[in-house]
Amino acid sequence: MDDRVGHGGPRVPEQRRPGSSGKPAALRFDVLGPVRAWRGEESLATGSPQQRALLAALLLREGRTATAAELIDALWGEEPPSQALAAVRTYASRLRKVLDPGVLVSESGGYAVRGLREGALDLAVAQEWATEAEKARGAGDLGHARKVLNRALGLWDGEALAGVPGPYAEAQRVRLEEWRLGLLESRLDLDLELGCHAEAVSELTALTAAHPLRERFRELLMLALYRSGRQAEALAVYADTRRLLAEELGVDPRPGLRELQRRILQADPDLVEPSAPAAEPPSAPVRPAQLPATVPDFTGRKSFVTELSEVLAGAAGGDEDTGRVMAVSALAGIGGVGKTTLAVHVAHQARSAFPDGQLYVDLQGAGARAAEPETVLGSFLRALGTADSAVPDSLEERAALYRSVLDGRRVLVLLDNARDAAQVRPLLPGTAGCAALVTSRVRMVDLAGAHLVDLDVMSPDEALALFTKIVGEERVAAEREAALDVVAACGFLPLAIRIAASRLAARRTWTVSVLAAKLADERRRLDELQAGDLAVKATFELGYGALEPAQARAFRLLGLADGPDISLTAAAAVLDLPVEETEDLLESLVDTSLLESAAPGRYRFHDLVRLYARACAERDEQPPGERAAAMSRLLDFYLATAAGVYAIERPGDRLVDHLERTGADGLVFPDRHAAQDWLYAEAVPLLACVRQSSGEATLRRAVDLLWAAVDLAESGANFREYEAAGAALRDAARAAADGRAEGRANLVLANARHWSGQFDQADQEAREALKLSEAAGDPLPCCWAANILGAFAYYQNRYAEAEEYLERAIRDFRACGDLPGAAAALCNLSRLHLETQRPDSAVHLARQGTETYEKLGHSLKAANGHYALGMALGKNGQLVDAAAHLGKALEIFRESRQRLWEGMTLFRLAEVDLLAQRPAPAATNAEMALASLRGIGGEWRRGNVLTVLGKALNGIGHSGRAQVCWREALEIYEELRSPEAAEVQVLLAPATAA
């Protein structure tokens, strides 16, 4: 889980002690692992096992004296050697020479360890932290309690008193292990109370395998599974437990376990939430503070501020008994009327009434692509402390979990720029004490129970006050009538006033009269208040008309790009200017409020400003072809840079030589990590550019950009958007009768659908890609298509066809000089040889592929080689080597953010664990594979993992859960008409017969 402490090499004590003063000569001791002594960071020699046993016996007495007889009994028990007393004295003498003077003292015929400073013994530190966790839990601070328990558990370095002989050490080992397990149970209980159910399943599965008779672990596993939506598995755990206890001990499960089973059978709603409510909210990050900054010159709107504040106060002070469950206030008005400014100001004033946090999102309702509610809910849940792995996939599940997380808390939610009520409803809290503020251009009469506020333009006095705050009292006082003319010409619209005043404030040589004269032209003023978009357009004209020519050109051209924001380097490509000059222009546009600085080096338009900028481009851009040229330059920039990323990640791959030529160079990166960072950061704008580039002049480059950016689909990070873009380009190429582009677009789609598990569609598209590319004389897509078709045929047990395609792919890749492509086909052919009972040649082929990748310095694809080689070695009985190669693959895939392949590698490791008769780690790896593949990879791959998980669970005695997993896998296979169904039916047959 997110803040657990792992076990690695020997720990340096200073890294884990509370209140350490950093004195280099301080003595420290470890007993929660091998018995060790430290002076500062220096490890001290503690001697023979019996000498360490003596030291441990003294340390565990916490300063009390141990007599010689007690120490002899501790070291040797009932059969001490004849010279036991002399040996004890010798050990004590040797330890005195190693430790500081006065630490090991002789007293009353015995010995004691005295004078240690606080925190010198790891056991004492663990006890302190356990006590602190107990107090924190009692006070309701569950997050802190969990964190401190993790620290305590992290002090263990393997078995306590490891390697120390004697009956005393053995008894203490048992005691300390029991205490550790108790702490672990407490920590896992906190995990569940904090909503980390899905994360806990894997750990609890392993723990129940290691400690099969410990009922508390099984109880927690049942609860974790139930809260993860896996009710059948939870009940199966109970059945497995009852059978095991009857067979091993002849007893029934304890009452608590039986009660939990009853509640699960009855679908007790209280089980969905933690049983013990927290008195205080957990530690960060569950107190979000996401409100944007309020403007310092907020002016007027007093009646609205009072009205909204009263509604929020009623929500914060109300409860279900008073009839006020939750308050929703929806602000409506034309663009630029100040809805967001007012909502943010009121929200800041009400913060103290909502101590559990404030959430904010721009729903982008005025744009072409409004924010999806499920995406927003995912962001909100993470801000409220929900782990990524615990966030459900569907909108309904996310909304339900969101309302559950907010239950009992006082949270204010600001939903800005909403499209309609349907977009808002899933985002509303559902419990007393919470409130929502919604802003939108439409009046939400269909939002049940909402307090509706229609926000009109400012009064003349408010408008003049706002203008004065921005421009300055001295300039306005000198030309009051001209200032009144300015705000009247702005239609008293706050955004128009703010832009006009900002222009004037930035130009000290202008007078107010100059600005008023510019606004006298009615073409620059609002004609009708109810024409919201036109009013906003007229307002923006004030700022646009005052721009210098270079600024105006930048404003127009940057508005053409569809992405939610644009990077500085991409903007430079659009404008065909150096980066430094581009930055100056963009920052000057930020100063005019026509552009926003989203983050360092990234810029965005308000959605309405973007529409206005495009209108300006259509009207003003000369020559007429400059708009198309600007978008072509952006496409070139993305294609050249994505090709560079591809080349860095895949040295020797010939794809970059077969891409369309670009008119500009892309960015250069120092290493593949920087290249990957760029690709994932630019994913959404890049894919938006692809979708905008389906015209005949840019179509081929757009298809090639998708091909070069293949990691966005293969990693699972953006595969839905990637797939949609591929389908759009395929249709455009077909309409344009461009066989080359259509073939490549089909190939891109086949790849994307392969990784999402849509094998039938992918197979059809790969066949179409092969046919079209052969007709177009386009060799590299033919190689890729043959490799993909070979893989699909292998998946569907068409082995002869698969071998034919893969051998063709190897020949064709080599003919193209594409050695990495040939290596990929070799690895696929290795898997085919495995399935057709040729294990030796499978290992040979996988080694060939892996060696090719490594000779080329191909880190990412080398992981695929290690993956294939690990599979081949595993099926060939070389399990240690198999695990080593799969471990290498897993490390690279994780580092490269390839979540799909991370999950598949965990699945293969689980298979190797099963072959090695290690069902417990197999279950752990399979559970982690399920978590990694959630939402990606398709149902067939999920069915494979469930099958292996069932085998692992069956191996650790969880036969009931195994049956549940196999039944779910069988449903998947039967739905897909997959031949794997036969194997699962065999696995289920004994249970069916019983």
Side-chain angles (χ1 to χ4, degrees):
M1 300 193 179
D2 49 7
D3 55 3
R4 289 178 191 165
V5 182
H7 298 305
R11 303 152 299 155
V12 177
E14 282 79 352
Q15 296 173 344
R16 57 181 177 81
R17 308 288 184 175
S20 175
S21 63
K23 294 180 181 179
L27 282 176
R28 294 175 178 84
F29 299 91
D30 290 340
V31 294
L32 300 178
V35 175
R36 293 182 292 218
W38 308 79
R39 181 177 288 109
E41 296 186 16
E42 176 192 1
S43 179
L44 304 180
T46 52
S48 67
Q50 285 80 10
Q51 188 169 307
R52 292 197 302 275
L54 176 69
L55 176 61
L58 295 174
L59 289 170
L60 291 174
R61 278 170 168 75
E62 301 177 350
R64 299 188 306 275
T65 300
T67 67
E70 288 173 333
L71 291 173
I72 291 171
D73 185 63
L75 270 60
W76 293 286
E78 296 180 357
E79 298 182 0
S82 58
Q83 300 298 316
L85 180 58
V88 167
R89 289 171 178 168
T90 299
Y91 300 151
S93 176
R94 290 173 181 171
L95 286 170
R96 278 201 188 96
K97 295 175 182 178
V98 174
L99 306 178
D100 291 347
V103 170
L104 200 161
V105 299
S106 300
E107 188 176 79
S108 303
Y111 299 94
V113 171
R114 302 273 174 81
L116 298 182
R117 67 185 194 130
E118 184 180 355
L121 180 63
D122 60 354
L123 175 59
V125 175
Q127 289 168 338
E128 286 180 30
W129 280 337
T131 301
E132 183 180 340
E134 187 177 350
K135 291 178 180 177
R137 185 169 188 172
D141 194 348
L142 304 187
H144 182 66
R146 176 184 184 230
K147 183 177 181 180
V148 174
L149 274 179
N150 273 324
R151 289 180 188 165
L153 288 164
L155 295 179
W156 264 265
D157 189 13
E159 183 183 49
L161 305 174
V164 175
Y168 179 79
E170 181 58 33
Q172 292 299 313
R173 261 192 296 274
V174 172
R175 178 181 71 85
L176 292 172
E177 176 62 8
E178 182 62 27
W179 185 52
R180 184 187 72 84
L181 292 174
L183 293 179
L184 192 54
E185 288 172 347
S186 297
R187 206 281 331 279
L188 286 161
D189 194 41
L190 287 168
D191 288 345
L192 300 191
E193 289 198 54
L194 291 168
C196 301
H197 320 309
E199 285 181 310
V201 169
S202 175
E203 184 176 6
L204 282 165
T205 298
L207 286 168
T208 54
H211 306 279
L213 298 178
R214 199 170 183 96
E215 292 184 63
R216 180 56 178 158
F217 283 149
R218 291 179 177 262
E219 183 178 353
L220 291 169
L221 177 57
M222 288 175 64
L223 188 56
L225 286 166
Y226 181 72
R227 290 183 179 172
S228 300
R230 299 159 71 174
Q231 179 178 355
E233 284 187 67
L235 293 170
V237 170
Y238 179 82
D240 290 338
T241 304
R242 183 175 60 183
R243 175 185 51 77
L244 178 69
L245 291 173
E247 291 174 356
E248 296 291 330
L249 304 176
V251 298
D252 290 329
R254 62 188 181 85
L257 206 59
R258 297 199 299 271
E259 175 65 12
L260 179 59
Q261 184 224 21
R262 183 191 64 78
R263 294 176 68 189
I264 290 174
L265 286 170
Q266 295 176 353
D268 187 340
D270 291 339
L271 278 184
V272 178
E273 288 300 305
S275 58
E280 293 291 335
S283 58
V286 295
R287 292 190 183 95
Q290 297 184 342
L291 295 178
T294 187
V295 293
D297 49 26
F298 182 85
T299 303
R301 308 294 202 187
K302 290 183 179 179
S303 63
F304 290 111
V305 171
T306 300
E307 179 182 354
L308 291 169
S309 296
E310 287 175 353
V311 172
L312 295 182
D319 54 40
E320 293 167 331
D321 293 333
T322 64
R324 179 62 127 184
V325 175
M326 185 263 302
V328 180
S329 292
L331 286 72
I334 61 172
V337 79
K339 301 181 294 295
T340 299
T341 302
L342 173 60
V344 170
H345 179 77
V346 170
H348 272 282
Q349 285 197 337
R351 284 185 63 184
S352 61
F354 299 93
D356 296 320
Q358 306 86 41
L359 296 168
Y360 170 85
V361 65
D362 179 2
L363 294 172
Q364 303 177 27
R369 293 183 178 87
E372 294 295 335
E374 56 261 48
T375 302
V376 176
L377 284 169
S379 176
F380 279 179
L381 285 167
R382 284 186 284 273
L384 289 163
T386 305
D388 278 347
S389 59
V391 176
D393 291 330
S394 71
L395 171 61
E396 293 76 15
E397 288 176 318
R398 288 186 177 191
L401 178 58
Y402 170 66
R403 292 190 295 270
S404 298
V405 169
L406 289 180
D407 186 29
R409 303 184 187 183
R410 298 191 175 212
V411 174
L412 175 62
V413 183
L414 176 46
L415 305 173
D416 192 20
N417 194 11
R419 177 186 57 206
D420 51 31
Q423 185 189 28
V424 166
R425 288 188 191 101
L427 308 178
L428 297 177
T431 55
C434 292
L437 278 173
V438 184
T439 73
S440 177
R441 288 193 295 165
V442 299
R443 196 167 189 266
M444 294 194 177
V445 294
D446 54 344
L447 191 60
H451 174 79
L452 301 181
V453 176
D454 294 324
L455 193 59
D456 203 346
V457 297
M458 284 182 148
S459 69
D461 289 342
E462 288 177 333
L464 184 61
L466 175 59
F467 185 82
T468 302
K469 280 192 175 181
I470 298 171
V471 173
E473 290 186 2
E474 183 177 349
R475 295 175 76 181
V476 173
E479 298 180 271
R480 180 177 174 80
E481 290 302 316
L484 287 171
D485 290 341
V486 168
V487 296
C490 289
F492 308 111
L493 195 67
L495 184 57
I497 296 167
R498 185 173 297 280
I499 291 173
S502 298
R503 293 286 92 212
L504 183 61
R507 288 162 172 75
R508 303 304 299 176
T509 59
W510 285 14
T511 62
V512 181
S513 297
V514 168
L515 178 60
K518 290 179 177 291
L519 296 178
D521 186 346
E522 290 185 356
R523 292 171 300 176
R524 297 178 180 270
R525 285 173 34 202
L526 293 170
D527 296 323
E528 296 183 44
L529 185 60
Q530 63 269 28
D533 285 344
L534 290 178
V536 173
K537 182 178 178 180
T539 302
F540 292 148
E541 194 75 44
L542 297 170
Y544 176 68
L547 296 177
E548 302 294 335
Q551 291 176 311
R553 174 179 177 269
F555 176 73
R556 294 191 300 269
L557 294 183
L558 292 177
L560 297 172
D562 260 352
D565 63 1
I566 191 168
S567 67
L568 175 58
T569 48
V574 171
L575 302 179
D576 196 20
L577 293 172
V579 171
E580 294 80 6
E581 187 175 342
T582 301
E583 185 174 22
D584 290 341
L585 278 173
L586 268 57
E587 288 297 329
S588 70
L589 288 174
V590 170
D591 291 341
T592 69
S593 300
L594 290 174
L595 191 67
E596 299 176 17
S597 179
R602 302 199 72 87
Y603 299 88
R604 67 183 176 209
F605 283 104
H606 183 282
D607 42 18
L608 296 179
V609 179
R610 185 197 304 278
L611 295 176
Y612 173 72
R614 289 181 179 177
C616 291
E618 293 173 3
R619 182 188 68 194
D620 300 339
E621 200 57 54
Q622 297 295 331
E626 176 60 8
R627 281 179 289 151
M631 290 304 297
S632 179
R633 289 192 295 270
L634 180 62
L635 179 61
D636 276 353
F637 165 76
Y638 280 137
L639 176 55
T641 307
V645 173
Y646 188 96
I648 288 176
E649 291 190 327
R650 299 168 173 84
D653 196 304
R654 292 294 307 280
L655 171 61
V656 293
D657 299 325
H658 291 258
L659 299 175
E660 287 288 302
R661 297 291 172 233
T662 61
D665 296 330
L667 300 177
V668 177
F669 302 101
D671 53 51
R672 73 183 189 91
H673 301 295
Q676 285 178 338
D677 288 343
W678 178 87
L679 182 64
Y680 290 112
E682 290 292 324
V684 177
L686 182 152
L687 292 172
C689 178
V690 166
R691 296 195 65 146
Q692 280 187 281
S693 303
S694 59
E696 290 188 24
T698 55
L699 177 60
R700 290 190 172 188
R701 281 178 288 155
V703 172
D704 283 359
L705 174 54
L706 268 190
W707 197 1
V710 65
D711 281 344
L712 297 180
E714 188 170 356
S715 67
N718 301 87
F719 78 90
R720 287 191 180 90
E721 299 89 341
Y722 186 98
E723 183 180 338
L729 292 184
R730 188 265 318 275
D731 295 344
R734 188 173 294 163
D738 187 337
R740 181 178 183 276
E742 187 181 352
R744 292 189 174 200
N746 270 296
L747 179 65
V748 162
L749 269 177
N751 265 315
R753 286 175 174 154
H754 168 208
W755 294 314
S756 63
Q758 303 171 67
F759 296 139
D760 289 340
Q761 287 179 278
D763 186 77
Q764 294 171 12
E765 283 148 355
R767 292 179 188 277
E768 191 70 13
L770 183 59
K771 181 180 74 174
L772 290 166
S773 297
E774 285 177 336
D778 196 6
L780 193 61
C782 294
C783 304
W784 280 56
N787 190 31
I788 294 170
L789 286 167
F792 293 153
Y794 154 73
Y795 292 153
Q796 296 168 355
N797 297 347
R798 295 181 277 116
Y799 295 141
E801 183 183 348
E803 190 147 6
E804 181 181 340
Y805 274 124
L806 291 172
E807 287 178 347
R808 170 182 172 172
I810 293 168
R811 290 193 305 271
D812 291 353
F813 272 125
R814 286 172 174 165
C816 287
D818 194 326
L819 296 181
L826 283 167
C827 290
N828 282 336
L829 187 58
S830 166
R831 297 172 64 181
L832 175 61
H833 279 218
L834 277 181
E835 290 298 321
T836 52
Q837 309 307 313
R838 291 175 279 176
D840 292 337
S841 60
V843 172
H844 175 69
L845 290 167
R847 286 196 192 279
Q848 276 187 276
T850 305
E851 288 168 2
T852 299
Y853 286 137
E854 291 184 335
K855 284 177 184 176
L856 293 168
H858 212 311
S859 178
L860 176 57
K861 296 306 287 184
N864 291 98
H866 288 297
Y867 175 87
L869 184 53
M871 285 182 61
L873 290 168
K875 295 292 176 65
N876 210 23
Q878 301 175 53
L879 303 182
V880 174
D881 290 343
H885 282 283
L886 289 170
K888 288 181 183 177
L890 181 62
E891 181 180 355
I892 297 170
F893 286 138
R894 279 178 171 164
E895 186 181 65
S896 303
R897 289 173 270 189
Q898 294 285 326
R899 190 159 64 92
L900 169 64
W901 287 109
E902 178 186 342
M904 289 305 298
T905 307
L906 287 164
F907 162 62
R908 298 302 179 187
L909 281 166
E911 288 187 317
V912 170
D913 287 329
L914 282 180
L915 289 171
Q917 303 298 312
R918 298 192 299 264
T924 300
N925 281 323
E927 284 282 7
M928 290 192 292
L930 278 180
S932 293
L933 293 173
R934 190 176 60 182
I936 60 174
E939 286 298 284
W940 179 74
R941 291 187 176 95
R942 176 174 169 79
N944 292 343
V945 179
L946 284 167
T947 302
V948 166
L949 176 58
K951 292 177 181 179
L953 291 170
N954 198 50
I956 60 175
H958 294 197
S959 57
R961 277 187 68 196
Q963 297 288 322
V964 173
C965 291
W966 289 333
R967 283 195 290 271
E968 186 177 349
L970 182 61
E971 288 177 9
I972 291 171
Y973 291 145
E974 289 179 340
E975 176 72 22
L976 298 174
R977 291 177 294 179
S978 174
E980 286 83 2
E983 179 195 356
V984 181
Q985 286 169 340
V986 172
L987 292 170
L988 286 167
T992 304

